[in-house]
Amino acid sequence: MQRISNMIFKKSLPKIFGVILPVLALYAVPVWADSLENLRASGAIGEASTGYVIAREPSAQAEADAINAKRKAIYQEKAAAQGIDPNQVGKVYAEEIIQKVPAGTWIQINGQWIKK
């Protein structure tokens, strides 16, 4: 009896995770975006002209690293599809990001911080 329940559990577990993980990922994106907005609003994180965020406060470094890892993956994917350097993609995205961020967001251009 225990053998049968172990077999069922082992076969069902991957299916369960196959459903649960994508659902959790969908809920994580708005949380990540909300966190980024809060960090921008507080001034803990600023946007750079490279397409990446910069932690302006040490307490925001881990969050900045996580955001930049996600952005880097996107830039690399887009660059590979177009046959260009990921840094070029990042700069194009930076222009769009900087235009869309709300007033009061810190932006670093040529090493200088300015408030939008």
Side-chain angles (χ1 to χ4, degrees), residues 39-55:
L39 289 166
R40 280 185 189 144
S42 72
I45 281 184
E47 292 289 341
S49 59
T50 59
Y52 294 99
V53 296
I54 298 174

Side-chain angles (χ1 to χ4, degrees), residues 1-111:
M1 179 73 172
Q2 186 176 4
R3 234 181 187 176
I4 293 172
S5 62
N6 282 346
M7 289 174 55
I8 292 171
F9 181 73
K10 286 180 183 178
K11 287 183 180 181
S12 300
L13 194 58
K15 290 178 184 176
I16 292 169
F17 281 120
V19 172
I20 292 174
L21 290 178
V23 170
L24 290 176
L26 289 173
Y27 286 104
V29 171
V31 170
W32 170 67
D34 184 45
S35 175
L36 175 57
E37 292 304 318
N38 290 337
L39 289 166
R40 280 185 189 144
S42 72
I45 281 184
E47 292 289 341
S49 59
T50 59
Y52 294 99
V53 296
I54 298 174
R56 294 176 33 98
E57 296 178 7
S59 61
Q61 188 61 55
E63 192 72 29
D65 291 343
I67 293 164
N68 286 336
K70 292 173 185 174
R71 288 185 180 185
K72 183 177 182 178
I74 292 168
Y75 300 164
Q76 287 177 333
E77 181 182 328
K78 299 289 184 187
Q82 297 174 16
I84 60 173
D85 184 5
N87 292 330
Q88 289 177 302
V89 175
K91 288 178 183 177
V92 170
Y93 271 82
E95 291 175 15
E96 292 179 29
I97 291 168
I98 290 169
Q99 286 179 358
K100 292 180 181 180
V101 293
T105 300
W106 286 98
I107 301 167
Q108 188 180 67
I109 300 174
N110 298 325

